[in-house]
Structures are given as C-alpha cells and as structure tokens.
Amino acid sequence: MMENRNKKYFAIFIMLFMFIVGYAQKSTIKYIDTKIKVDGKFNEQVWQQLPEYTGFYNYLPTDIGLAENQTSVKIFHNKEYLYVRAIYNDSTERTQVSTLKRDVSIAFSDSFVIILDTQNQEQNGYFFAVNSLGNQTDGLVGRSNSDYNLSFSWNTIWQSKAILNGTKKQYEIAIPLKALNFDASNGVFGVQFYVRDIKNNSWTIFKNVKRNYANLDLRFTEKFSIENLPKKSNSRFTVTPSVTTNFQKDVANNTDLNSFKPSLDVQYNVTSSLKLDATINPDFSQIDVDQQVTNLTRFALNFPEQRNFFLENADLFSNLGVFGVNPFYSRRIGASSAIKFGLKLSGNVSPKTRIGVLNVQTGKESGVVAQNFGVLVAEHQLTNNFATTGFIINRQETDKFDFKNDFNRVAGVNVNYKSNNNKWTGLLNYGKSFNDAISGDNSFYNASVYFNKRGLNFNTSVRKLGKNYITDVGFTPRLYNYDAINNVTIREGYLQTSSGVEYEKFYEKSKSINSVRFFNYGLNNYFDENGKLTQSQHSLNSAVFFKDLSAVYYVVNYDIVDLKYGFDPLGNGNALTPDKYNFGILKVGYNSANNQKLRYRINIQKGTYYGGKRTTAGAYLNYQMLPFANLELTYDVNKIDLNQLGKETFHLTRFTGQVFFNNRLNWTTYVQHNTQRDNFNVNTRLQWEYRPLSYIYLVLTDNFNDHIKRQNWGFSFKMNYRFDF
C-alpha cells in the first residue's frame, strides 16, 4: 500500500514539474543561420543548442494524463527553411505503416505530424506528416462551420527523413518558408505536433486537446514566437508544364478519339502571404476516380475537389454556405466544356484580412456556350470571437471578349462566432441571387449554434431558401425536385430546421470498455413555401467502443415524407405517386480495431422504404501486406421490394489494389461494379514520381455494362515537370 502511494506521489510530482518547466519555457522558434543535412541522424551541432519540447499528452484511446511513450521535438529556422527534429520513444523496435504512396491518410501508420497556423488566426493552416518509413503527406487545414477539414490534394516540395533507431523513431524535416503563407508583422505561428502509433492504436499530442475536438483543431495550437522572421519570403516562382495524350474507344458507336493536350500551371508569391495561381489550357483529367455510391435519395450527391488550381486557400471559397446549400462548388467549373485559362489571387493582405479572387474562362464546344466564372471573397477577423466573410460569385455567358446577358450572380455575407472557452460556436449566413429575367424570392439565410464539451455536444439551426436562390456555380440539391411521372424538374424553396444532441461517457479505469455513446439523436424538418411539413428525418444511434477502439453499434433512421412529386427509386419507370409515406430502418454493425493487418467492418439493415421493404448489408475488408501492398474490398447490397411497383437488388462492389515498389513508384487498380448505374469499371494506373511533385502516369480505363459487355475503353499518358525557382 505504501509503495503504491509513493508511486502515486512521484507521478504527481513529475507531472507538476513538467508543467512548471513547460510554463516557464516560452515557446520560441529560434533563428539560427545554418543549414543541415536532412538525414534523420541529428549530427549537426545546432540540435544540441536548441530547447526541447516534450511532455506530450494522451489524445486517444484516452485523453487523460501524459503519454507513456514520450516524444521530444526541437525546431528552428534559418530564414529559408523551418527545420524540425522529432524523436518518438517507442516501446518496441517494430514499426507498422499502411502505405508508401504520397498524400494518403496517416491514420493507419506510425507517423509524426506537424500542424502550422502561420497567420495565427485559427482559420486555416498547413499539415505535414511523415510515416516511419519516410512517406510524406501534406495538405491544408481549413475551417468548416463549427469544425476543421483536411485536404490532402494540396502539395509543396519539402524534405524529410525517417530512421528506425532501435526503439527510437527519428524524424527530420525541412519545410521551405516560401511554401508557407505568413506575415512578418505577425511573428507568431500556431503549432501543433502529434504522433500516431498504430501498433498500440494511440494518438499523443503536444498541446493538450480533449478527444471531443479534432486533433487538427487550430484553436488548440501552441503559440510559438518566431525570431527574425524574414520580412519577405524568398521568391517562389513555380512553373509546371504538362502533356497529356488520350486514346478513347467508343465500342458501342465504333468511334475513336485521339487527343494531345499541353498545359501550363504557374504559381507566384506576390508577397509571403499572397499567392497568384495561373493555368492555361489545363488538363483536369481525374487520375483518381470518384468512388461510386448507391444513391437512394431524391437528390444529387457531391464529390470533393481534387484539381490543384482550386486548392490553394480553398477553404476561402468552399465555406461560403452550409452543408447542402453552398453557393460555390468548384466542380461545376469545367464540367460542361474545357477550361481555357484561369487566374486566382488568394491569401492574406494583412494579419486579419484574407482575400480570394478567381476568374476562369471556359471554351465554346458543340452545343455548349463559352462561360466566364468570377469569384471575389474577403474574410476579416473582427475580434478574437468574431470573423466575417463577404462574397460575390458571377457566371456569365461570353462570346469571345463580349459578355452576354445570360448570367447568374450570388452575393452574401457570413459571420462566425467562437467563444473563449471553445465550447460555443455560431454561424450566420445571408445570401442573395441575381439572374436575368428572374427576380424575387431569391434569398438564403441560416442561423446555427453549436455546443461541444467532453462527453456532450448539441446543435441547432434554421435555414431558408427562396425558390429563386439560384446558384449555377453552387450546390443546392434540395432546391430542385425531379418529377419522375411528368419528367420535369420543379424548383421549390424550403425552410429547414435541424437539431442534434450526443452524449458519450468515457471509462478510463475499465479494462475492456473505452467509452459508450449512449445516444446520438438528430432531427431534420423540411417545410415547403406554404409552411407545410414535407419531410421529417429522425436518426438515433448508440455505440460501445472497446479498449482497442473496435466498436459495436446500432442506427435507427425514421422518415416521414409528404411526397409532392413522382419518385422512381428503382429506375424501372414505375414511379411512386405523391402521397404520405412513413418508413424506417434498423442498422446493426461491428468495426474491428484499426491496428490489425486485417481490418473489417460489417453491417446489416432491415426495415421499410416508401411503403415497401428494404434489406441492406455491407462489408469492408482491408488486408495490409506491407510495405509491399495494400488490398481493400467493399461490398454493399440493397434489396428493395415496392410491391406492385417492382423490386430490385442493387449491388455495389469496389476493389482497390495498391502495390508499392518504393516511395516514388506505385501501381493502383480500381475495380468498381455498380448495378444501379449499370456500370462495371476498371481503372489501373502506374504512377512514378521521378522527382519531387513531377509525375508520369500511365492509365488504362475500361467500362462495361451489367452484362460485362464492353461500352468503351481508353489509355492515357500524362507527364508533368515542376520547376521551382
């Protein structure tokens, strides 16, 4: 008993000592005029004279106390590079990674991660990660309403090296300052470090963050003062020419199409915090294919942007609305005809003010007129608690250099609120649409409140769209109602109220249970323009999370729909007639632990669907033959019986196979079978990064119908070369 008590007092003393030391040590990124060789060995003298930052906290599977396996970090800059040295003191010499492909999530690999909020405004930042076998991942962190999102599509050239030194995992990193958006007059960076150890399924973090917040939440970064930050970043002038050649064979019509397309992308640092992007005749062909889904709703789904030109400061443009009502959805641009050129100026013009100016011109093609797309966005940090954004979006038909009267314009203003204790956030949106020959009922507003504390969160919101809130470059799927009986689309405004509450309890002392989500309830109500309730969506789920973070759960969804227009969910021509429908479904599932070579998720659902019956099952399998290969298989089946309207079984299968020859050369194959879209697709790609961010792609695509009859196939070669000046 006395021995246990002494251990307890000793642990308290150590924690208190580390707190005092950490509090007394001012977090500083020192300026030292020296260069180092990024080799992971830490042989340079400079590493011996720098302060050490340690005392990492637990984040998952527990967020209580200091981490058992500690990490130490040292950091400095020489006005050209930001250098970081990190040592993770593992309990084993073994390591585990999931991929050798660049820009893949590090969630399933031993990794070290840096988050940089270089403007210290808690709005957007940079993400740099290295796994224990040296694979790089970089991206952008951006504010999205009450949360933060991460995009891996953004890239820059930086150096890193990982070394396995016994039980020590050593990481050495050099990030060029010219790649970062900073302002010398605002010489404080928000910085966060965290470590992923997939072997024991843990996340540990430098600045303490509770698990109810994302580990990349910029509100919880450590504030580092930067000594002698350069007044101006070294000039960064990036030129990336590329060529793409395609061969497409339309088997059904017995036609061939050959094309050769040169392209040019340029990025220039106007200042250290303001960037100019330009693209001429860009090739925006998707090297990665969109993941197919089974859509049983009445409305369209959206997919993420992956095109480089739109990614720098992308959160400025993509957060102009709310989920389901976004006035700017960049994938609309270039969807109907090819982009001829584009210009974008984005970044900070002062520490508290960020702007975005975008202009893209598309060409005239058969049956499609030329269009010009313009966006102007300005974001300003009013106080520590309030930020506001104003925007104007324009889509207008053009004839050479003349603008025609066919246009769509959207203007609006947003206000974000965050409390000092980070528990409360709020959002106000107001927008207005302007169209030729259409006026009135053209406004949108939204008011949302979010509360988040450890174990409990809730939200509520109300939003209204007028039927003429038309956003040609946006995504407002619920505004458009397709009538499958009369084959027409009706634009109709609506009022939506939403609310949700979640309660989760954590069991730190339990040997088997990590946490229990007792309930997570959400409600969405939709009213038409006359105030009549047209749909009420209820969702309830609970889950038990075990110590290895595997989980068993259930979900109940229940809908009350006053269907106003014909809906053909089976796609067989037999549409549901307007009527009132009540239906629901129960889903039960299990997710395995993420740190196993074989990971899997299974679920089964059974219930009703628009007066009929629906049975669904799904499975996900991932087998890691690492570091050589990663195999993944998903399968979903939806069996729907609508009685006299017919019955259908939709199958959706996706296989992904990745073979890693090294960190620069990999081969990826996708096989997708979607019976709802009558499509069997094969996409296989050899990707070689022959120098940093310079690639050669060889891509073969093949499309068949449900009867495995070839519809079309094609072969593509793409090569780009990145010049950094």
Side-chain angles (χ1 to χ4, degrees):
M1 180 69 73
M2 182 64 68
E3 183 180 351
N4 290 337
R5 184 179 298 173
N6 290 338
K7 287 183 178 179
K8 180 179 179 181
Y9 290 154
F10 179 73
I12 293 173
F13 171 78
I14 291 297
M15 291 180 67
L16 182 62
F17 174 77
M18 295 187 74
F19 172 78
I20 293 172
V21 170
Y23 186 80
Q25 175 180 284
K26 182 180 179 182
S27 297
T28 303
I29 298 177
K30 292 182 174 294
Y31 164 68
I32 300 177
D33 187 14
T34 186
K35 289 187 176 182
I36 66 170
K37 181 181 179 181
V38 179
D39 56 11
K41 298 178 180 179
F42 316 141
N43 293 329
E44 293 82 4
Q45 181 62 34
V46 64
W47 293 124
Q48 311 306 317
Q49 62 190 79
L50 289 168
E52 180 181 67
Y53 297 97
T54 186
F56 277 53
Y57 293 87
N58 289 313
Y59 176 74
L60 276 175
T62 178
D63 58 1
I64 302 299
L66 292 171
E68 181 178 348
N69 294 350
Q70 275 295 325
T71 303
S72 68
V73 180
K74 295 184 177 183
I75 185 169
F76 77 98
H77 78 92
N78 65 354
K79 293 192 176 183
E80 184 178 1
Y81 287 94
L82 182 69
Y83 292 104
V84 181
R85 183 229 72 170
I87 300 175
Y88 173 62
N89 295 287
D90 206 339
S91 54
T92 175
E93 295 185 9
R94 188 170 63 92
T95 194
Q96 183 175 331
V97 300
S98 65
T99 184
L100 292 183
K101 183 180 177 182
R102 181 175 176 141
D103 290 337
V104 174
S105 170
I106 54 89
F108 309 117
S109 299
D110 291 347
S111 304
F112 173 73
V113 181
I114 308 168
I115 301 290
L116 297 173
D117 178 4
T118 53
Q119 293 289 335
N120 193 31
Q121 295 298 317
E122 302 174 357
Q123 296 294 317
N124 69 312
Y126 299 91
F127 175 96
F128 297 92
V130 185
N131 74 21
S132 57
L133 295 185
N135 207 63
Q136 291 184 344
T137 294
D138 50 16
L140 298 176
V141 179
R143 186 90 185 233
S144 177
N145 298 335
S146 65
D147 209 346
Y148 290 84
N149 291 332
L150 176 60
S151 168
F152 292 135
S153 298
W154 177 86
N155 292 291
T156 193
I157 294 177
W158 50 292
Q159 302 174 50
S160 64
K161 184 68 176 180
I163 284 183
L164 305 177
N165 182 14
T167 60
K168 296 181 184 297
K169 309 297 189 291
Q170 298 182 182
Y171 303 92
E172 197 164 32
I173 295 169
I175 301 170
L177 289 176
K178 67 182 181 180
L180 305 177
N181 178 347
F182 67 89
D183 191 324
S185 63
N186 184 30
V188 176
F189 285 5
V191 181
Q192 182 69 282
F193 308 114
Y194 59 89
V195 172
R196 175 58 161 152
D197 187 336
I198 187 62
K199 302 182 300 302
N200 60 23
N201 227 351
S202 72
W203 301 80
T204 56
I205 198 160
F206 175 60
K207 184 67 180 292
N208 198 11
V209 179
K210 294 305 178 184
R211 60 200 294 180
N212 52 299
Y213 298 102
N215 53 13
L216 49 77
D217 194 317
L218 300 179
R219 293 173 295 176
F220 297 96
T221 55
E222 178 75 8
K223 309 308 179 185
F224 276 77
S225 298
I226 318 296
E227 290 184 355
N228 296 325
L229 193 64
K231 297 296 182 184
K232 185 177 180 181
S233 170
N234 291 333
S235 177
R236 182 190 179 205
F237 191 61
T238 301
V239 179
T240 308
S242 66
V243 293
T244 304
T245 180
N246 285 292
F247 171 79
Q248 297 291 326
K249 174 73 174 181
D250 187 336
V251 177
N253 298 309
N254 194 29
T255 59
D256 297 347
L257 177 64
N258 291 281
S259 65
F260 176 80
K261 188 173 186 178
S263 305
L264 183 66
D265 293 286
V266 178
Q267 186 176 74
Y268 176 66
N269 278 5
V270 180
T271 69
S272 61
S273 60
L274 193 63
K275 301 183 187 300
L276 177 67
D277 291 90
T279 185
I280 300 173
N281 197 35
D283 170 51
F284 284 154
S285 59
Q286 291 294 344
I287 297 301
D288 274 324
V289 294
D290 288 324
Q291 183 170 336
Q292 295 190 25
V293 296
T294 300
N295 184 10
L296 297 178
T297 74
R298 291 172 286 142
F299 307 104
L301 304 177
N302 71 340
F303 294 91
E305 180 62 80
Q306 301 180 39
R307 301 174 294 181
N308 276 335
F309 173 75
F310 294 101
L311 295 177
E312 188 79 44
N313 288 296
D315 63 297
L316 255 179
F317 300 92
S318 61
N319 289 330
L320 303 180
V322 294
F323 179 77
V325 187
N326 200 336
F328 183 74
Y329 177 45
S330 58
R331 283 184 65 137
R332 299 277 190 220
I333 302 176
S336 301
S337 60
I339 293 175
K340 296 300 183 183
F341 67 84
L343 289 171
K344 184 177 70 172
L345 181 69
S346 62
N348 284 71
V349 293
S350 76
K352 294 183 181 295
T353 304
R354 196 158 55 124
I355 66 166
V357 183
L358 180 147
N359 189 269
V360 177
Q361 179 69 46
T362 61
K364 182 178 181 180
E365 297 182 9
S366 55
V368 180
V369 299
Q371 300 280 355
N372 185 267
F373 300 87
V375 186
L376 172 63
V377 184
E379 174 189 274
H380 184 68
Q381 194 79 23
L382 298 171
T383 67
N384 289 335
N385 303 106
F386 288 95
T388 186
T389 304
F391 63 89
I392 299 173
I393 302 166
N394 182 64
R395 189 279 309 156
Q396 192 155 2
E397 180 185 344
T398 59
D399 182 9
K400 296 182 180 178
F401 294 102
D402 295 328
F403 285 87
K404 299 298 184 180
N405 286 330
D406 177 17
F407 65 86
N408 168 250
R409 294 173 188 137
V410 184
V413 62
N414 307 326
V415 178
N416 288 83
Y417 167 78
K418 57 182 180 180
S419 65
N420 290 329
N421 62 9
N422 296 313
K423 292 182 179 179
W424 294 92
T425 54
L427 176 64
L428 294 175
N429 305 79
Y430 179 75
K432 210 169 186 66
S433 175
F434 305 91
N435 309 273
D436 56 314
I438 299 176
S439 62
D441 205 12
N442 57 345
S443 298
F444 157 67
Y445 68 75
N446 170 79
S448 303
V449 176
Y450 309 87
F451 175 81
N452 186 358
K453 66 174 290 186
R454 190 176 187 270
L456 176 68
N457 67 76
F458 62 83
N459 64 83
T460 185
S461 67
V462 59
R463 65 192 58 155
K464 188 177 189 304
L465 276 81
K467 69 176 182 180
N468 293 326
Y469 185 70
I470 301 170
T471 60
D472 288 352
V473 202
F475 186 75
T476 55
R478 205 173 186 93
L479 202 61
Y480 299 90
N481 299 268
Y482 176 67
D483 185 342
I485 296 175
N486 299 303
N487 192 28
V488 294
T489 298
I490 299 95
R491 194 172 65 246
E492 188 173 274
Y494 63 91
L495 172 73
Q496 176 185 352
T497 62
S498 302
S499 57
V501 60
E502 178 181 5
Y503 174 68
E504 185 173 2
K505 187 174 181 180
F506 307 103
Y507 296 88
E508 308 297 344
K509 297 181 180 180
S510 172
K511 294 182 178 180
S512 56
I513 303 298
N514 182 271
S515 67
V516 176
R517 180 189 297 149
F518 283 96
F519 61 85
N520 182 9
Y521 173 71
L523 171 64
N524 286 301
N525 287 322
Y526 298 90
F527 303 85
D528 67 14
E529 295 170 324
N530 299 316
K532 183 180 178 181
L533 181 66
T534 59
Q535 185 169 3
S536 185
Q537 297 177 316
H538 302 259
S539 177
L540 175 68
N541 78 76
S542 299
V544 177
F545 299 91
F546 301 100
K547 282 298 183 183
D548 62 359
L549 297 184
S550 62
V552 60
Y553 64 92
Y554 77 86
V555 181
V556 176
N557 291 311
Y558 187 75
D559 283 67
I560 303 170
V561 178
D562 189 353
L563 191 65
K564 298 181 67 175
Y565 307 104
F567 175 41
D568 183 12
L570 299 183
N572 62 2
N574 298 327
L576 293 160
T577 57
D579 202 348
K580 192 169 184 178
Y581 298 88
N582 298 354
F583 56 93
I585 194 165
L586 170 66
K587 176 180 181 180
V588 178
Y590 174 77
N591 297 342
S592 72
N594 284 329
N595 60 348
Q596 308 299 318
K597 284 188 175 181
L598 176 64
R599 299 186 297 117
Y600 61 94
R601 301 191 296 266
I602 54 174
N603 69 80
I604 187 168
Q605 305 179 56
K606 191 170 181 62
T608 56
Y609 181 72
Y610 284 101
K613 298 178 181 179
R614 178 184 171 198
T615 302
T616 299
Y620 167 87
L621 299 173
N622 175 235
Y623 186 67
Q624 300 179 357
M625 304 165 59
L626 294 166
F628 309 109
N630 194 341
L631 307 178
E632 185 177 288
L633 177 67
T634 60
Y635 174 70
D636 291 285
V637 58
N638 275 273
K639 184 178 181 180
I640 300 173
D641 186 350
L642 293 181
N643 305 315
Q644 69 273 17
L645 297 182
K647 54 186 177 181
E648 187 66 69
T649 301
F650 296 123
H651 300 272
L652 177 62
T653 308
R654 178 183 172 99
F655 168 78
T656 305
Q658 299 181 78
V659 177
F660 310 109
F661 301 103
N662 53 46
N663 287 60
R664 296 291 181 89
L665 181 64
N666 60 79
W667 176 32
T668 303
T669 298
Y670 301 102
V671 179
Q672 298 186 102
H673 185 205
N674 188 344
T675 61
Q676 188 184 38
R677 295 178 57 181
D678 190 23
N679 180 248
F680 183 90
N681 168 258
V682 178
N683 178 286
T684 186
R685 178 186 75 239
L686 188 68
Q687 175 180 319
W688 178 30
E689 187 181 10
Y690 60 94
R691 69 181 303 274
L693 296 185
S694 297
Y695 293 94
I696 290 177
Y697 301 95
L698 298 174
V699 185
L700 177 67
T701 59
D702 219 341
N703 290 287
F704 305 82
N705 65 13
D706 253 357
H707 303 289
I708 318 299
K709 181 179 179 181
R710 176 176 278 163
Q711 302 297 295
N712 57 75
W713 66 277
F715 176 79
S716 299
F717 168 83
K718 180 176 180 177
M719 178 179 180
N720 75 317
Y721 191 92
R722 177 173 168 129
F723 296 92
D724 261 289
F725 300 101

